[in-house]
Amino acid sequence: MSLFPAHYSTLSATALNEYLQAAYGLKGITTSFLVRNVSDTYVIRDEEPKYILKIYRDSHRSRAQIQAEVDVLNYLKENGAKVAYPIPDVSGNYLQQFEASEGIRYGVLFLFAPGSVSKDLTGNQLQVLGREMAFNHQLLSKEDLTFDRPEYSIATTIHQPLEVLPEMFERFNYPEGLERLQGIAKKALDTFEAIDTRSFAMGYCHYDYMPKNFHYSDKDEITFFDWDFFGKGLLVNDLMSFQVHYFLHQLHGFISKEEATKDFKTFVSAYRERRGISDLELSAIPVLGTMFWTFYLVVQYQGFDDFSNPYFNKNFIKAWLGRIEQWEQFAKD
């Protein structure tokens, strides 16, 4: 019997464990499946977590884009940035190729970021984060850097979503939702086009600088990871994505708006100790956040058949649009 084609497979953790031992010369490890998202993630342990293996989806990242993620992390590591970097196999290769039922899937092994997530950041942790994000931006704003990655612009975060998402609203019989999104998008376009961004710093953004993507040690040493969405854009986007954390934290009742504002100011002050950022750039955070939320709605929709199926429905879309509107109020106040 021939193998029936698959849309999305989940590679066996047992088979991957055997593969990693041979390819990387690792002994005494165990491999377990951690999470299915835009990529599949496995944790590799001996007694403690030691590595993370990411298995990418071809529909999400091309081979060239995955190689660019490896390249930027090696560049950051070589220049002193605190990142969970990729690990080469015994032959010096970073990308592993797996013949899965849906075709070739690529994998990369990364160092496990020591420490753990801290969502209620202390003053010292905020200062560490601000300084280290600024340091990363110093490295990632150099003009001679060229990585094959997406660009975050008005085209990719507003215009393209408006081309892709009408079919989503039709699929879920929610035409009034499309009108709602179009109103949000028009307001964002008008606001963004009124800002003179010519002086804004450009470079490569992480575009998901939330606490889930960096660990602190017990001495508040930070390690950044999960650069899956890094791409070219305004560097202030990264400060925006961190403020999104405070929006969500406040929305879920874990922090007051006053505390969120105070903490974000502490973070920005620390960032400015290492790298300048203008008040005009910071003033763009509200509209950049609207663009961020619109972009990630496309990610959720296009991952519908891969990772978001259990919860992606009309109510989810309604809640997402409501969250964009709540963000606009939070960021404006």
Side-chain angles (χ1 to χ4, degrees):
M1 178 182 290
S2 60
L3 190 65
F4 195 85
H7 172 72
Y8 193 129
S9 66
T10 302
L11 304 189
S12 162
T14 301
L16 285 171
N17 195 68
E18 294 176 3
Y19 179 94
L20 294 172
Q21 291 188 65
Y24 290 85
L26 301 174
K27 305 299 179 186
I29 60 167
T30 60
T31 299
S32 57
F33 184 78
L34 184 63
V35 65
R36 182 175 187 172
N37 207 311
V38 291
S39 58
D40 294 340
T41 303
Y42 299 77
V43 60
I44 293 85
R45 297 179 173 89
D46 42 30
E47 292 183 2
E48 298 290 336
K50 197 165 186 177
Y51 304 103
I52 287 290
L53 175 67
K54 287 174 63 175
I55 305 293
Y56 296 80
R57 291 190 292 122
D58 181 64
S59 60
H60 178 64
R61 289 287 174 244
S62 67
R63 190 186 192 286
Q65 290 177 339
I66 299 167
Q67 183 62 56
E69 183 179 346
V70 168
D71 292 344
V72 78
L73 285 167
N74 280 334
Y75 165 73
L76 288 168
K77 175 200 168 200
E78 289 162 6
N79 285 277
K82 297 173 172 60
V83 295
Y85 50 83
I87 307 296
D89 64 18
V90 293
S91 299
N93 299 314
Y94 287 97
L95 270 64
Q96 306 303 313
Q97 184 171 307
F98 301 97
E99 293 285 351
S101 55
E102 71 269 38
I104 295 174
R105 295 191 68 180
Y106 293 100
V108 177
L109 188 69
F110 296 89
L111 182 74
F112 184 87
S116 59
V117 169
S118 178
K119 291 186 177 180
D120 295 300
L121 281 73
T122 66
N124 189 58
Q125 288 173 334
L126 288 165
Q127 291 174 33
V128 169
L129 173 63
R131 290 191 293 267
E132 294 304 327
M133 185 190 291
F135 179 71
N136 291 348
H137 283 173
Q138 287 175 337
L139 297 174
L140 294 171
S141 60
K142 297 186 183 303
E143 294 182 1
D144 59 346
L145 294 178
T146 54
F147 298 108
D148 183 5
R149 296 293 294 190
E151 181 172 339
Y152 297 111
S153 65
I154 202 76
T156 57
T157 62
I158 293 293
H159 291 303
Q160 287 181 15
L162 288 177
E163 294 173 1
V164 171
L165 292 175
E167 68 178 38
M168 177 193 74
F169 290 103
E170 182 178 357
R171 180 175 184 174
F172 289 97
N173 191 28
Y174 186 28
E176 62 271 29
L178 177 57
E179 294 178 11
R180 193 173 169 189
L181 178 64
Q182 288 170 335
I184 290 169
K186 183 181 186 308
K187 182 180 175 183
L189 283 169
D190 291 345
T191 302
F192 188 77
E193 288 171 356
I195 301 172
D196 184 357
T197 61
R198 289 175 297 177
S199 64
F200 287 21
M202 286 285 294
Y204 286 93
C205 313
H206 183 284
Y207 212 62
D208 197 10
Y209 260 124
M210 295 191 192
K212 64 186 177 70
N213 291 328
F214 44 86
H215 282 173
Y216 288 99
S217 72
D218 55 7
K219 295 181 180 178
D220 285 348
E221 297 161 324
I222 197 169
T223 305
F224 299 102
F225 56 92
D226 198 356
W227 291 73
D228 189 76
F229 282 96
F230 103 85
K232 193 74 174 285
L234 301 175
L235 294 180
V236 70
N237 274 308
D238 281 342
L239 287 82
M240 171 275 295
S241 68
F242 180 57
Q243 191 168 24
V244 167
H245 157 68
Y246 278 108
F247 161 64
L248 293 172
H249 219 41
Q250 181 258 345
L251 188 67
H252 296 138
F254 295 115
I255 193 171
S256 70
K257 178 64 192 297
E258 293 71 26
E259 290 171 317
T261 300
K262 176 178 174 290
D263 284 359
F264 191 72
K265 285 181 178 178
T266 299
F267 155 75
V268 171
S269 294
Y271 183 98
R272 282 172 159 164
E273 290 176 16
R274 208 161 205 177
R275 182 183 174 276
I277 187 165
S278 69
D279 289 341
L280 183 59
E281 286 173 285
L282 296 176
S283 74
I285 282 177
V287 66
L288 291 172
T290 299
M291 293 156 66
F292 173 90
W293 282 102
T294 306
F295 168 81
Y296 273 107
L297 180 57
V298 175
V299 172
Q300 293 289 332
Y301 174 59
Q302 292 183 331
F304 177 78
D305 292 323
D306 297 331
F307 66 87
S308 66
N309 186 284
Y311 59 83
F312 197 96
N313 52 38
K314 185 175 180 178
N315 286 336
F316 175 84
I317 299 166
K318 285 182 178 180
W320 195 279
L321 295 177
R323 195 164 286 180
I324 297 176
E325 291 163 346
Q326 289 170 308
W327 157 262
E328 290 176 338
Q329 188 62 42
F330 172 89
K332 182 178 68 174
D333 292 343

